[in-house]
Amino acid sequence: MSFLNNVINGISLGSIYAIIALGYTMVYGIAKMLNFAHGDVIMVGAYVCFFAMGSFHLPPVAGVLLAMVVCTVLGIVIERLAYKPLRAAPSLAVLITAIGVSYLLQNSAQIFWGAATKTFQPIVEGSLVLVPGQLSISYVAILSVVCCIVVMAALTLFTGQTKMGKAMRACSEDKGAAQLMGIDVNATISMTFAIGSALATVAGVLMCSAYPVLSPTTGSMPGIRAFTAAVFGGIGSVPGALLGGILLGIIETFAKAYISTDLSDAVVFAVLIIVLLVRPAGLMGKYVPEKV
């Protein structure tokens, strides 16, 4: 039964990683940049939801929706102020800017909400008992998996059926050609950041509900792990983000259970290195030869 418990915990944790990884993979697929501030948007969303439910006594659904609105606006502001002026800049300049935005968000959170660790109130509580005393599934875990499936289905329909979704796919293929065809590339990239930031909020609330600890650095390590999941599955691939997130969650959970809690991150990154040595583009990524 402990094996099944670990599988369930791994899938639920992997579902959260997959939702976060979608933000990374969408931004990279369209803007060809790595937004390392994405993990800190998770933290901001969790804080907004925390105070919305605690200080203003909003129901969980309203708290999550408010946090999604705040983080959507935050994502657009970050893109317009920090990344848009660097559209034609070298990738190193964009990377340094992303790290700077990350530290700005962390320090701003300390100023506004304090550095003390807070206990997050889960949006759902309790467990579904399958085998009394041996096997149970928390409602947060069930909600995480359901949210992941819904997000993946909605995102697939959005990119395949809507005008904005098709514009995103066109920008992903060739921004120059898309602009010549009348697509507003800047608006498309801003929409990508908005969607990714909203998804980060959902992931942040689910993560803090499963592990009810909240601090200004809450999003740092999950953000790095989710980025690892995106690279694992093939950054730029939406199905790859799902596969990478689930596999990463399972590997991390089993590493903690059967190897060592302290070495779990080392095991995760070791597996990533092995996968990239065999498939540099990731499990579902496509190798695109560079044109000279």
Side-chain angles (χ1 to χ4, degrees), residues 163-233:
K163 184 177 179 180
M164 179 56 72
K166 293 176 181 178
M168 288 180 177
R169 290 165 56 195
C171 290
S172 177
E173 291 293 331
D174 191 326
K175 288 197 289 290
Q179 193 165 15
L180 290 174
M181 296 302 293
I183 295 174
D184 189 338
V185 174
N186 289 326
T188 303
I189 293 176
S190 293
M191 178 60 71
T192 305
F193 271 84
I195 294 173
S197 299
L199 294 180
T201 304
V202 175
V205 172
L206 290 172
M207 182 183 66
C208 288
S209 295
Y211 307 95
V213 176
L214 181 58
S215 71
T217 58
T218 290
S220 298
M221 202 60 199
I224 294 174
R225 292 191 186 109
F227 171 69
T228 303
V231 175
F232 195 7

Side-chain angles (χ1 to χ4, degrees), residues 11-12 14-20 22 141-155 202 206 241-243 245-246:
I11 292 175
S12 64
S15 298
I16 297 173
Y17 286 157
I19 297 174
I20 305 172
L22 284 173
I142 296 173
L143 183 61
S144 299
V145 176
V146 170
C147 285
C148 182
I149 294 172
V150 170
V151 165
M152 286 297 302
L155 197 58
V202 175
L206 290 172
L242 173 63
L243 178 62
I246 297 296

Side-chain angles (χ1 to χ4, degrees), residues 265-285:
D265 287 335
V267 172
V268 167
F269 291 119
V271 171
L272 172 68
I273 292 171
I274 294 171
V275 169
L276 292 182
L277 287 174
V278 178
R279 288 186 59 87
L283 295 176
M284 299 187 70

Side-chain angles (χ1 to χ4, degrees), residues 10-258:
I11 292 175
S12 64
L13 178 62
S15 298
I16 297 173
Y17 286 157
I19 297 174
I20 305 172
L22 284 173
Y24 280 110
T25 205
M26 287 176 64
V27 169
Y28 181 82
I30 294 171
K32 295 297 182 288
M33 62 159 289
L34 298 174
N35 179 24
F36 279 112
H38 189 66
D40 298 289
V41 176
I42 297 169
M43 172 268 299
V44 172
Y47 265 112
V48 173
C49 186
F50 174 82
F51 283 103
M53 293 191 302
S55 300
F56 299 99
H57 306 292
L58 293 179
V61 174
V64 173
L65 290 176
L66 176 62
M68 288 178 69
V69 171
V70 171
C71 287
T72 298
V73 174
L74 177 63
I76 294 173
V77 170
I78 290 173
E79 191 277 327
R80 289 293 175 91
L81 296 182
Y83 300 138
K84 185 179 178 181
L86 302 176
R87 198 81 81 213
S91 57
L92 181 60
V94 180
L95 178 62
I96 294 172
T97 301
I99 295 173
V101 173
S102 173
Y103 282 113
L104 174 65
L105 291 177
Q106 288 182 25
N107 285 276
S108 298
Q110 289 186 24
I111 293 172
F112 285 111
W113 298 307
T117 301
K118 294 175 173 56
T119 301
F120 191 90
Q121 177 66 33
I123 55 174
V124 290
E125 296 179 319
S127 301
L128 177 64
V129 178
L130 300 179
V131 179
Q134 295 185 359
L135 182 62
S136 62
I137 307 175
S138 68
Y139 290 130
V140 172
I142 296 173
L143 183 61
S144 299
V145 176
V146 170
C147 285
C148 182
I149 294 172
V150 170
V151 165
M152 286 297 302
L155 197 58
T156 301
L157 289 174
F158 176 79
T159 55
Q161 303 296 328
T162 66
K163 184 177 179 180
M164 179 56 72
K166 293 176 181 178
M168 288 180 177
R169 290 165 56 195
C171 290
S172 177
E173 291 293 331
D174 191 326
K175 288 197 289 290
Q179 193 165 15
L180 290 174
M181 296 302 293
I183 295 174
D184 189 338
V185 174
N186 289 326
T188 303
I189 293 176
S190 293
M191 178 60 71
T192 305
F193 271 84
I195 294 173
S197 299
L199 294 180
T201 304
V202 175
V205 172
L206 290 172
M207 182 183 66
C208 288
S209 295
Y211 307 95
V213 176
L214 181 58
S215 71
T217 58
T218 290
S220 298
M221 202 60 199
I224 294 174
R225 292 191 186 109
F227 171 69
T228 303
V231 175
F232 195 7
I235 194 162
S237 168
V238 173
L242 173 63
L243 178 62
I246 297 296
L247 289 178
L248 191 79
I250 292 174
I251 292 170
E252 181 181 334
T253 302
F254 274 85
K256 288 180 178 178
Y258 297 109

